[in-house]
Amino acid sequence: MANGSSPDAAHRAHILENPLRTYLLGIIISICGNVLISISLNIQKYAHVRQSQRGSKPYYTSGTWWCGVALMGFGELGNFAAYGFAPASLIAPLGCVSVIASAVLSVVFLKETVRASDIFGGTLAITGTYVLVNFAPHTTIHITAHLVQYYVMNWHFLLYLLLEMLLFCFLLYLYKMRNVKHIVIVMLLVALLASLTVISVKAVSGMIAESITGQLQLIYPIFYIMGVIMIVSCAFQIKFLNQAMKMFDATEVVPINFVFFTTSAIVAGIVFYEEFEELALLNIVMFLLGCLLSFLGVFLIARNRPKIKLQNPNCISMDKIPRRSHTDRVQPEAQTYGPLAAKLMCNRAGQSDDA
């Protein structure tokens, strides 16, 4: 290092700058991205409902559905960019904004019922978001390739990575070899992968932002290494999350995934990017309190949400089946399938469509 300074002091010079405008920009981008994601989810849900009621073409032929997909892409891009401007331990808890906005939009546009738990949960989540934004670490890190390399070689991160790999292998053994299909096992696998995703996303996003300002970072191998880690970890994270959605109800997966993902992202930010260093004890306690309020709010909003019952176009409602008088000739089909059998066949067809 120049002037014989220690590596720690030289790299810390990149960390201690605190431009409030950049910090607020990251928060605004993250909130806007999460709102776009919630809008996209409701648009896609509306397209599913409409196509199912019509019973004509698949949902992916609908322009409305593709509009929702495009909005989700913009929302995820906003979250990706936000990691380059604000701490990861702050951006991850802001995911509760998507849950709150989705609940509001589902009531306004999909005519879902407002429950007392929705109002109370939304209040808790908004309060928690306000608290954690005010007490979160405000340090803005200017990510460079040399800084990422420095963080990667820190002994505490290497120890953290080793423990995470051992825990991941143990959970994967229980899940695959011992056939332990518990929701906590699956969501822990997702959370462990999410920690690597958060670390790599912030590194890639930060280096791209730094390159735009004039200091090109794309010529260093660490940029592409982090890009590969981001893509691979995100792909396997989505794989396990989809498996969880198939095995368990969404009202269980959504709050547990939010809690585990947020916790994993906060720990990753603390260990890898040292975001809680020199943070006052009061700030740490209040930040954790804000996260706890957000967790409780998301749990209350997602708990026992009413499901939209889609009418199966392959089935005929029982009240529309014409009744046979005693003078009518009995057809072979009527002898084979009575009203009870017809109802069972309708339920079976509905189960096959859901699968």
Side-chain angles (χ1 to χ4, degrees):
M1 295 296 163
N3 302 328
S5 60
S6 65
D8 183 72
H11 286 281
R12 204 164 302 284
H14 296 278
I15 303 174
L16 294 181
E17 296 183 14
N18 182 23
L20 183 60
R21 184 175 61 182
T22 304
Y23 173 80
L24 293 177
L25 179 62
I27 295 176
I28 294 173
I29 292 175
S30 178
I31 292 176
C32 292
N34 284 300
V35 171
L36 281 179
I37 291 174
S38 64
I39 294 174
S40 72
L41 290 175
N42 281 274
I43 289 177
Q44 293 179 64
K45 187 175 182 180
Y46 171 76
H48 280 289
V49 171
R50 190 175 63 176
Q51 292 297 108
S52 178
Q53 290 175 346
R54 292 179 178 178
S56 53
K57 299 179 180 179
Y59 63 89
Y60 51 81
T61 61
S62 170
T64 305
W65 184 81
W66 282 108
C67 179
V69 172
L71 285 178
M72 175 169 285
F74 284 115
E76 294 293 353
L77 185 62
N79 275 335
F80 173 82
Y83 279 100
F85 296 98
S89 55
L90 172 62
I91 298 301
L94 289 179
C96 69
V97 174
S98 177
V99 180
I100 299 171
S102 182
V104 173
L105 291 173
S106 64
V107 172
V108 175
F109 295 104
L110 298 179
K111 308 304 179 182
E112 293 187 2
T113 306
V114 181
R115 305 169 303 164
S117 60
D118 294 334
I119 299 176
F120 184 55
T123 303
L124 285 178
I126 293 174
T127 304
T129 302
Y130 176 80
V131 171
L132 64 89
V133 165
N134 280 275
F135 291 94
H138 291 184
T139 302
T140 300
I141 303 177
H142 295 278
I143 302 295
T144 64
H146 294 295
L147 187 63
V148 174
Q149 292 174 356
Y150 167 73
Y151 283 144
V152 168
M153 299 307 297
N154 273 347
W155 68 268
H156 47 76
F157 170 69
L158 295 176
L159 178 61
Y160 167 78
L161 183 62
L162 176 62
L163 294 176
E164 185 175 88
M165 291 175 61
L166 292 176
L167 179 59
F168 183 85
C169 292
F170 175 70
L171 294 173
L172 192 62
Y173 168 77
L174 292 178
Y175 180 64
K176 292 292 186 181
M177 304 302 295
R178 307 295 295 182
N179 201 31
V180 180
K181 306 297 183 182
H182 195 279
I183 186 171
V184 174
I185 300 293
V186 185
M187 300 316 297
L188 279 176
L189 289 171
V190 174
L192 292 175
L193 290 168
S195 67
L196 294 179
T197 304
V198 168
I199 290 173
S200 56
V201 163
K202 183 171 179 61
V204 172
S205 177
M207 283 188 278
I208 292 176
E210 198 69 21
S211 299
I212 294 175
T213 60
Q215 300 179 357
L216 186 62
Q217 306 295 316
L218 309 185
I219 60 176
Y220 297 98
I222 190 65
F223 173 80
Y224 301 97
I225 293 174
M226 284 294 177
V228 171
I229 294 175
M230 177 183 67
I231 294 173
V232 173
S233 62
C234 188
F236 280 98
Q237 183 183 344
I238 294 174
K239 174 185 175 181
F240 285 115
L241 189 59
N242 285 333
Q243 292 178 1
M245 292 295 289
K246 290 180 181 179
M247 292 185 294
F248 310 102
D249 193 80
T251 57
E252 298 175 301
V253 175
V254 170
I256 294 178
N257 179 60
F258 175 72
V259 172
F260 283 10
F261 172 83
T262 303
T263 304
S264 177
I266 292 173
V267 173
I270 293 173
V271 174
F272 190 84
Y273 293 104
E274 303 175 357
E275 292 178 346
F276 273 27
E277 196 167 46
E278 299 183 4
L279 192 66
L281 179 61
L282 175 62
N283 288 62
I284 296 176
V285 172
M286 295 302 295
F287 175 82
L288 296 179
L289 176 62
C291 291
L292 179 60
L293 292 176
S294 298
F295 294 162
L296 292 176
V298 170
F299 173 77
L300 290 175
I301 293 174
R303 183 176 62 94
N304 298 328
R305 289 204 65 82
K307 299 179 181 179
I308 297 179
K309 300 295 183 181
L310 305 179
Q311 183 177 357
N312 193 331
N314 300 323
C315 300
I316 301 175
S317 179
M318 292 300 298
D319 57 356
K320 296 182 180 180
I321 296 179
R323 296 187 179 273
R324 177 179 57 86
S325 65
H326 67 279
T327 59
D328 294 337
R329 181 182 175 183
V330 179
Q331 298 295 333
E333 293 81 358
Q335 292 177 339
T336 306
Y337 305 114
L340 179 59
K343 185 175 182 180
L344 292 175
M345 290 174 63
C346 182
N347 294 335
R348 187 177 302 171
Q351 294 173 358
S352 64
D353 287 348
D354 291 340

mmCIF file of all heavy atoms in Angstrom, residues 288-303:
data_model
loop_
_atom_site.group_PDB
_atom_site.id
_atom_site.type_symbol
_atom_site.label_atom_id
_atom_site.label_comp_id
_atom_site.label_asym_id
_atom_site.label_seq_id
_atom_site.Cartn_x
_atom_site.Cartn_y
_atom_site.Cartn_z
ATOM 1 N N LEU A 288 -32.736 -3.716 14.856
ATOM 2 C CA LEU A 288 -33.279 -5.067 15.039
ATOM 3 C C LEU A 288 -34.753 -5.022 15.430
ATOM 4 O O LEU A 288 -35.539 -5.888 15.011
ATOM 5 C CB LEU A 288 -32.461 -5.811 16.092
ATOM 6 C CG LEU A 288 -30.992 -6.080 15.729
ATOM 7 C CD1 LEU A 288 -30.283 -6.796 16.883
ATOM 8 C CD2 LEU A 288 -30.901 -6.904 14.459
ATOM 9 N N LEU A 289 -35.137 -4.013 16.217
ATOM 10 C CA LEU A 289 -36.550 -3.856 16.566
ATOM 11 C C LEU A 289 -37.379 -3.557 15.322
ATOM 12 O O LEU A 289 -38.480 -4.098 15.140
ATOM 13 C CB LEU A 289 -36.709 -2.731 17.590
ATOM 14 C CG LEU A 289 -38.152 -2.376 17.984
ATOM 15 C CD1 LEU A 289 -38.835 -3.576 18.637
ATOM 16 C CD2 LEU A 289 -38.182 -1.170 18.921
ATOM 17 N N GLY A 290 -36.861 -2.700 14.451
ATOM 18 C CA GLY A 290 -37.573 -2.413 13.205
ATOM 19 C C GLY A 290 -37.732 -3.649 12.338
ATOM 20 O O GLY A 290 -38.795 -3.873 11.745
ATOM 21 N N CYS A 291 -36.687 -4.476 12.270
ATOM 22 C CA CYS A 291 -36.784 -5.736 11.512
ATOM 23 C C CYS A 291 -37.830 -6.655 12.120
ATOM 24 O O CYS A 291 -38.609 -7.291 11.394
ATOM 25 C CB CYS A 291 -35.424 -6.429 11.475
ATOM 26 S SG CYS A 291 -34.178 -5.586 10.483
ATOM 27 N N LEU A 292 -37.863 -6.732 13.455
ATOM 28 C CA LEU A 292 -38.832 -7.591 14.131
ATOM 29 C C LEU A 292 -40.260 -7.140 13.840
ATOM 30 O O LEU A 292 -41.149 -7.968 13.572
ATOM 31 C CB LEU A 292 -38.569 -7.589 15.635
ATOM 32 C CG LEU A 292 -39.523 -8.422 16.495
ATOM 33 C CD1 LEU A 292 -39.470 -9.894 16.092
ATOM 34 C CD2 LEU A 292 -39.198 -8.265 17.981
ATOM 35 N N LEU A 293 -40.502 -5.832 13.877
ATOM 36 C CA LEU A 293 -41.839 -5.313 13.562
ATOM 37 C C LEU A 293 -42.221 -5.630 12.118
ATOM 38 O O LEU A 293 -43.371 -5.988 11.836
ATOM 39 C CB LEU A 293 -41.881 -3.806 13.807
ATOM 40 C CG LEU A 293 -41.765 -3.334 15.266
ATOM 41 C CD1 LEU A 293 -41.729 -1.819 15.331
ATOM 42 C CD2 LEU A 293 -42.914 -3.876 16.106
ATOM 43 N N SER A 294 -41.256 -5.516 11.219
ATOM 44 C CA SER A 294 -41.529 -5.845 9.813
ATOM 45 C C SER A 294 -41.842 -7.324 9.653
ATOM 46 O O SER A 294 -42.751 -7.705 8.898
ATOM 47 C CB SER A 294 -40.326 -5.464 8.947
ATOM 48 O OG SER A 294 -40.080 -4.080 9.006
ATOM 49 N N PHE A 295 -41.102 -8.182 10.372
ATOM 50 C CA PHE A 295 -41.357 -9.624 10.313
ATOM 51 C C PHE A 295 -42.777 -9.941 10.771
ATOM 52 O O PHE A 295 -43.505 -10.702 10.121
ATOM 53 C CB PHE A 295 -40.350 -10.381 11.175
ATOM 54 C CG PHE A 295 -38.930 -10.315 10.682
ATOM 55 C CD1 PHE A 295 -37.872 -10.622 11.521
ATOM 56 C CD2 PHE A 295 -38.664 -9.936 9.378
ATOM 57 C CE1 PHE A 295 -36.572 -10.559 11.058
ATOM 58 C CE2 PHE A 295 -37.358 -9.866 8.905
ATOM 59 C CZ PHE A 295 -36.306 -10.181 9.756
ATOM 60 N N LEU A 296 -43.166 -9.367 11.905
ATOM 61 C CA LEU A 296 -44.509 -9.616 12.428
ATOM 62 C C LEU A 296 -45.583 -9.092 11.473
ATOM 63 O O LEU A 296 -46.619 -9.739 11.268
ATOM 64 C CB LEU A 296 -44.656 -8.959 13.802
ATOM 65 C CG LEU A 296 -43.838 -9.560 14.945
ATOM 66 C CD1 LEU A 296 -44.009 -8.735 16.219
ATOM 67 C CD2 LEU A 296 -44.240 -11.002 15.203
ATOM 68 N N GLY A 297 -45.335 -7.925 10.881
ATOM 69 C CA GLY A 297 -46.307 -7.364 9.952
ATOM 70 C C GLY A 297 -46.506 -8.231 8.721
ATOM 71 O O GLY A 297 -47.635 -8.493 8.305
ATOM 72 N N VAL A 298 -45.406 -8.715 8.146
ATOM 73 C CA VAL A 298 -45.504 -9.588 6.973
ATOM 74 C C VAL A 298 -46.204 -10.890 7.324
ATOM 75 O O VAL A 298 -47.016 -11.411 6.553
ATOM 76 C CB VAL A 298 -44.100 -9.847 6.392
ATOM 77 C CG1 VAL A 298 -44.143 -10.944 5.322
ATOM 78 C CG2 VAL A 298 -43.527 -8.570 5.806
ATOM 79 N N PHE A 299 -45.906 -11.422 8.511
ATOM 80 C CA PHE A 299 -46.558 -12.663 8.939
ATOM 81 C C PHE A 299 -48.070 -12.484 9.059
ATOM 82 O O PHE A 299 -48.853 -13.338 8.612
ATOM 83 C CB PHE A 299 -45.976 -13.128 10.278
ATOM 84 C CG PHE A 299 -46.700 -14.297 10.885
ATOM 85 C CD1 PHE A 299 -46.499 -15.578 10.411
ATOM 86 C CD2 PHE A 299 -47.598 -14.108 11.922
ATOM 87 C CE1 PHE A 299 -47.168 -16.662 10.954
ATOM 88 C CE2 PHE A 299 -48.277 -15.176 12.479
ATOM 89 C CZ PHE A 299 -48.055 -16.455 11.992
ATOM 90 N N LEU A 300 -48.504 -11.364 9.632
ATOM 91 C CA LEU A 300 -49.939 -11.122 9.795
ATOM 92 C C LEU A 300 -50.629 -10.896 8.453
ATOM 93 O O LEU A 300 -51.767 -11.321 8.251
ATOM 94 C CB LEU A 300 -50.161 -9.917 10.711
ATOM 95 C CG LEU A 300 -49.808 -10.122 12.190
ATOM 96 C CD1 LEU A 300 -49.956 -8.814 12.957
ATOM 97 C CD2 LEU A 300 -50.667 -11.205 12.817
ATOM 98 N N ILE A 301 -49.942 -10.224 7.521
ATOM 99 C CA ILE A 301 -50.549 -9.974 6.214
ATOM 100 C C ILE A 301 -50.683 -11.265 5.425
ATOM 101 O O ILE A 301 -51.709 -11.513 4.771
ATOM 102 C CB ILE A 301 -49.711 -8.944 5.433
ATOM 103 C CG1 ILE A 301 -49.775 -7.579 6.118
ATOM 104 C CG2 ILE A 301 -50.193 -8.832 3.990
ATOM 105 C CD1 ILE A 301 -48.864 -6.537 5.505
ATOM 106 N N ALA A 302 -49.648 -12.117 5.479
ATOM 107 C CA ALA A 302 -49.648 -13.338 4.664
ATOM 108 C C ALA A 302 -50.423 -14.482 5.305
ATOM 109 O O ALA A 302 -50.781 -15.447 4.619
ATOM 110 C CB ALA A 302 -48.209 -13.788 4.404
ATOM 111 N N ARG A 303 -50.722 -14.389 6.601
ATOM 112 C CA ARG A 303 -51.348 -15.504 7.314
ATOM 113 C C ARG A 303 -52.795 -15.689 6.871
ATOM 114 O O ARG A 303 -53.607 -14.781 6.923
ATOM 115 C CB ARG A 303 -51.313 -15.232 8.818
ATOM 116 C CG ARG A 303 -51.871 -16.357 9.683
ATOM 117 C CD ARG A 303 -51.695 -16.014 11.156
ATOM 118 N NE ARG A 303 -52.424 -14.807 11.494
ATOM 119 C CZ ARG A 303 -53.653 -14.787 11.981
ATOM 120 N NH1 ARG A 303 -54.289 -15.925 12.184
ATOM 121 N NH2 ARG A 303 -54.258 -13.650 12.272
#
